[in-house]
Amino acid sequence: MSGFAPGDRVGVAWLRRTDGTCGYCLRGSENLCPASEYTGWDADGGYAEYTTVPAAFAYRLPDGVDDVALAPLLCAGIIGYRALRRAALPPGGRLGLYGFGGSAHLCAQLALAEGATVHVLTRDPAARRLALGLGAASAGGAYDEPPEPLDSAILFAPAGDLVPVALRALDRGGVLSVAGIHLSDIPPLHYESDLFQEKELRSVTANTREDGRDFLALAARHGIRATTHAYPLEDAPRALRDLKAGRFDGAAVLVNDRPPRN
């Protein structure tokens, strides 16, 4: 019934269960299900040698791509994809990315593949170099003004004081989506300078399974690849410290080197 067989290669993402019966699920917004459960939050698996997931919430993984390369797609990639769609970027539009870590550098690749002009704004010099290497039109500081008005922007950095900065960078009718699960407090917004001319501010909550399937298909079609830095599973605390300190660009991946059980 699951469509999987023993030995199939599958991926486990953040969303791991919904009730399937509430109004949100029935209208295609299962990411808003009040009974939703999440990997590493409601069930073990985020930092574990072994995990389980309901088969309906597992993703079939493509052959020919190694596990380290695929791992960031299942979390950072999927949420970046939803944030991009929530940002309502028009075809050939101008997109600003505030923060350029694991999620943003995958989102940028998809936006570029779909014909967007991408401007990156981040405090990290290494991330700015990565952005330019991937094809971004510009890469400046997090609080800099982009070289042209933006049709859409995505805030990946968990800094609420960047919300008015990003809103002011939008052109008329532009949309800012906030991708993080956490955001520091947003300072007061000024209606005329920050929101007038039909600018929109949108939040992003988790993802749907359709988001995951769509993104993995697009990633395979466009050859989207994560810049990865692998750490042994037992070095997870060091990986988190390095992440907080900005010691690497792209995404960190925890690697379980222990042999599987028979």
Side-chain angles (χ1 to χ4, degrees):
M1 294 294 291
S2 69
F4 296 112
D8 283 351
R9 193 164 171 240
V10 300
V12 178
W14 173 233
L15 182 69
R16 67 175 290 110
R17 189 189 301 273
T18 61
D19 63 25
T21 60
C22 70
Y24 301 102
C25 288
L26 294 177
R27 76 184 194 198
S29 300
E30 65 180 3
N31 59 308
L32 301 179
C33 174
S36 57
E37 297 179 2
Y38 299 93
T39 304
W41 184 264
D42 299 293
D44 292 339
Y47 294 83
E49 300 163 66
Y50 304 97
T51 189
T52 61
V53 67
F57 287 82
Y59 294 93
R60 189 178 301 279
L61 299 179
D63 296 326
V65 184
D66 66 72
D67 293 343
V68 172
L70 284 171
L73 305 186
L74 291 161
C75 184
I78 292 174
I79 198 63
Y81 172 78
R82 184 165 186 86
L84 180 61
R85 295 300 182 242
R86 289 281 292 162
L89 182 66
R94 302 156 296 176
L95 174 67
L97 301 179
Y98 289 80
F100 203 70
S103 192
H105 91 291
L106 294 168
C107 176
Q109 292 178 60
L110 178 57
L112 288 164
E114 293 182 335
T117 298
V118 175
H119 299 287
V120 170
L121 302 110
T122 180
R123 64 182 183 179
D124 184 5
R128 292 198 290 268
R129 291 192 294 271
L130 175 60
L132 293 173
L134 291 173
S138 73
Y143 296 86
D144 291 348
E145 185 176 344
E148 59 181 338
L150 305 172
D151 297 301
S152 302
I154 304 173
L155 178 58
F156 287 101
D161 61 348
L162 282 173
V163 169
V165 174
L167 285 169
R168 286 193 291 271
L170 292 175
D171 204 350
R172 299 180 178 209
V175 176
L176 170 64
S177 69
V178 180
I181 196 171
H182 166 76
L183 188 71
S184 60
D185 289 345
I186 300 172
L189 297 177
H190 300 281
Y191 180 67
E192 185 174 355
S193 61
D194 299 341
L195 286 171
F196 194 53
Q197 303 294 350
E198 298 194 351
K199 297 179 182 181
E200 295 184 42
L201 173 61
R202 299 179 177 179
S203 66
V204 178
T205 300
N207 63 275
T208 66
R209 283 171 285 175
E210 183 178 10
D211 292 329
R213 290 188 292 265
D214 289 349
F215 173 70
L216 290 173
L218 288 168
R221 181 187 310 165
H222 295 301
I224 293 170
R225 294 289 182 269
T227 297
T228 57
H229 304 270
Y231 292 75
L233 182 60
E234 58 266 25
D235 281 353
R238 179 167 65 90
L240 290 170
R241 289 194 299 270
D242 289 350
L243 174 65
K244 184 176 181 179
R247 294 192 180 104
F248 57 79
D249 54 12
V253 178
L254 299 179
V255 178
N256 180 14
D257 291 326
R258 298 187 184 185
R261 293 173 182 168
N262 293 325

